[in-house]
Amino acid sequence: HVQLVESGGGSVQVGGSLNLSCAATGMSASSMCMAWFRQGPGSEREWVAAIDSTGAKRYASSVKGRFTISHDNVNNNLYLQMDNLKPEDTGMFYCAADWGIANCLAGSWSPADFDYWGRGTQVTVS
């Protein structure tokens, strides 16, 4: 079974940085679409960034220029480098993966579009 495990969350001051990791096991990198979502207090889970099997990337407008998504093909880990963090970035961050998405870079994904999820890692910016 596919398993996704996030790590790297924590508390950081406004303007600081964090690098989140998602260890993926039981899956192949071929034809995959992987993404990061976040869910703030009292808010719905929202899409943050996506990366396809070729390494092409797409970002939500709220994080573009501040966040960088990447994938390590050797270890099959997903990363999210977050710079210039803002209080509104606070929330639970989740990694997700799917192999049935026609266009991984379409953007504005719903959580229902992804079949495999980690349990999340908390990010607090204050």
Side-chain angles (χ1 to χ4, degrees):
H1 293 280
V2 174
Q3 289 189 315
L4 304 173
V5 181
E6 302 93 339
S7 62
S11 298
V12 64
Q13 293 183 342
V14 175
S17 298
L18 284 173
N19 189 12
L20 307 183
S21 299
C22 175
T25 59
M27 57 178 276
S28 172
S30 62
S31 301
M32 73 170 184
C33 180
M34 300 191 74
W36 286 97
F37 289 75
R38 68 184 179 189
Q39 186 169 11
S43 301
E44 295 184 350
R45 193 172 302 184
E46 65 176 355
W47 172 75
V48 173
I51 185 168
D52 69 13
S53 59
T54 73
K57 307 167 184 180
R58 179 75 183 272
Y59 298 93
S61 60
S62 59
V63 306
K64 190 174 183 179
R66 300 188 299 118
F67 291 10
T68 303
I69 189 172
S70 62
H71 184 261
D72 184 339
N73 289 327
V74 175
N75 298 307
N76 210 25
N77 291 343
L78 181 72
Y79 303 96
L80 186 67
Q81 176 64 44
M82 305 186 295
D83 297 315
N84 192 24
L85 284 162
K86 304 176 180 180
E88 51 263 42
D89 294 320
T90 294
M92 187 72 73
F93 281 70
Y94 300 88
C95 63
D98 206 295
W99 288 262
I101 295 176
N103 185 4
C104 183
L105 305 183
S108 299
W109 293 112
S110 167
D113 295 321
F114 287 79
D115 290 334
Y116 300 97
W117 292 86
R119 292 184 176 181
T121 184
Q122 180 66 38
V123 172
T124 302
V125 184
S126 61

